[in-house]
């Protein structure tokens, strides 16, 4: 374990340094995403304002405000790696990675860890603190407990692993099609619905909820946010955390199987 940390920790550290070097572009990207969150906020306020029900889809208006911005905080740990895979395939640099005494997937995940740490600590923690202050002082909701924060962070770590392992599997498509920018745009649009980022899964019909909750996507964003809101407790809380752990194992095994197959047919010209 210590040897692996010595090998792969520099990948995370270098990615962290890169993020700090290009702070202007990074913060512009964050401002754009935060702007999207405010658009979502005003849309949901309009929905609740025009409804005669105080609770919609199991969420009150105050809880929906917290949901919208905690979705933003949680999504900061979702770091894509498929774009790096595609770039390696296009440039042929994947060949160099294959001959190095490292695990290509672990190197990508390590780089994603560096990005995730920066994303979460630089802007998201401050937004999280702001949301918590607003929730208590303006919305009149109870402050989040330390236990729930710990459970939320554990869920976020597993969400990160589920996302990067899924994105690794998706990135393997680049070995067959080379260029996957269009597919990445489709993936992003679909994940907006499937992860509960745009619409909480509890707003869908029961049959759709059951389907979505047993796919890995709900475990990426929806599950951690609902844990933070206190919507899971007891056996249900243990179940959703166990479900996240199971999906990590499934996606890791699936990624290993796909990786063995694509490396058998890989042909690199140049690089």
């Amino acid at each position: 374990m210590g040897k692996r940390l010595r090998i792969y920790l520099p990948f995370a550290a270098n990615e962290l340094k890169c993020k700090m070097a290009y702070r202007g572009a990074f913060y512009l990207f964050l401002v754009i995403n935060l702007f999207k969150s405010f658009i979502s906020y005003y849309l949901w306020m309009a929905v609740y304002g025009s409804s005669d029900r105080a609770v919609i889809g199991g969420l009150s208006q105050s809880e929906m405000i917290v949901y919208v911005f905690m979705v933003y905080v949680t999504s900061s740990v979702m770091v894509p790696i498929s774009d790096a895979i595609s770039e390696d395939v296009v440039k042929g640099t994947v060949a160099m990675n294959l001959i190095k005494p490292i695990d290509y997937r672990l190197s990508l995940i390590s780089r994603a860890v560096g990005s995730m740490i920066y994303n979460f600590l630089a802007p998201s923690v401050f937004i999280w603190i702001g949301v918590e202050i607003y929730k208590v002082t303006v919305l009149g909701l109870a402050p989040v407990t330390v236990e729930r924060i710990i459970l939320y962070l554990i869920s976020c770590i597993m969400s990160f692993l589920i996302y990067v392992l899924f994105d690794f599997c998706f990135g393997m498509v680049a070995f067959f099609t080379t260029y996957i920018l269009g597919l990445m745009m489709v993936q992003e649009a679909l994940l907006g619905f499937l992860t509960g980022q745009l619409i909480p899964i509890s707003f869908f019909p029961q049959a759709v909820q059951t389907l979505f909750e047993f796919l890995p996507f709900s475990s990426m964003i929806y599950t951690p946010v609902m844990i933070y809101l206190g919507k899971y407790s007891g056996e249900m809380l243990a179940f959703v955390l166990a479900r996240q752990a199971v999906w990590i194992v499934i996606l890791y095994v699936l990624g290993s199987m796909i990786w063995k197959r694509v490396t058998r047919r890989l042909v690199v010209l140049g690089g």
Side-chain angles (χ1 to χ4, degrees), residues 5-171:
L5 282 175
R6 288 195 300 272
I7 294 173
Y8 296 104
L9 191 59
F11 286 97
N14 288 335
E15 193 68 21
L16 193 57
K17 291 176 182 177
C18 289
K19 290 293 184 183
M20 295 177 69
Y22 298 99
R23 286 175 293 182
F26 177 72
Y27 281 117
L28 179 61
F29 174 76
L30 289 176
V31 168
I32 292 173
N33 282 320
L34 187 58
F35 182 69
K36 291 180 182 178
S37 296
F38 276 103
I39 292 176
S40 180
Y41 163 78
Y42 285 113
L43 285 173
W44 282 114
M45 291 308 97
V47 170
Y48 276 87
S50 60
S51 175
D52 57 355
R53 291 186 293 169
V55 177
I56 305 176
L59 296 172
S60 66
Q61 183 173 345
S62 297
E63 289 175 329
M64 178 56 75
I65 293 173
V66 178
Y67 182 92
V68 167
F69 289 102
M70 287 309 297
V71 161
Y72 174 84
V73 173
T74 308
S75 63
S76 67
V77 307
M78 305 296 125
V79 181
I81 60 175
S82 55
D83 53 346
I85 297 172
S86 178
E87 184 178 357
D88 285 342
V89 172
V90 170
K91 293 182 177 180
T93 52
V94 66
M96 296 301 297
N97 287 305
L98 288 173
I99 63 175
K100 292 177 182 177
I102 60 172
D103 186 308
Y104 180 59
R105 176 168 54 179
L106 284 180
S107 69
L108 290 172
I109 293 175
S110 298
R111 289 167 57 185
V113 168
S115 295
M116 181 265 290
I117 292 172
Y118 185 75
N119 292 2
F120 195 75
L121 294 182
S124 296
V125 165
F126 297 104
I127 294 170
W128 182 4
I129 293 171
V131 169
E132 193 62 24
I133 293 173
Y134 182 82
K135 183 183 81 171
V136 175
T137 59
V138 179
L139 300 179
L141 298 176
V144 64
T145 62
V146 175
E147 179 186 7
R148 203 186 301 169
I149 290 175
I150 293 172
L151 290 170
Y152 168 73
L153 292 175
I154 291 172
S155 183
C156 278
I157 292 171
M158 290 196 286
S159 297
F160 165 77
L161 292 172
I162 291 170
Y163 182 84
V164 293
L165 290 172
F166 168 78
D167 206 43
F168 177 81
C169 296
F170 175 77

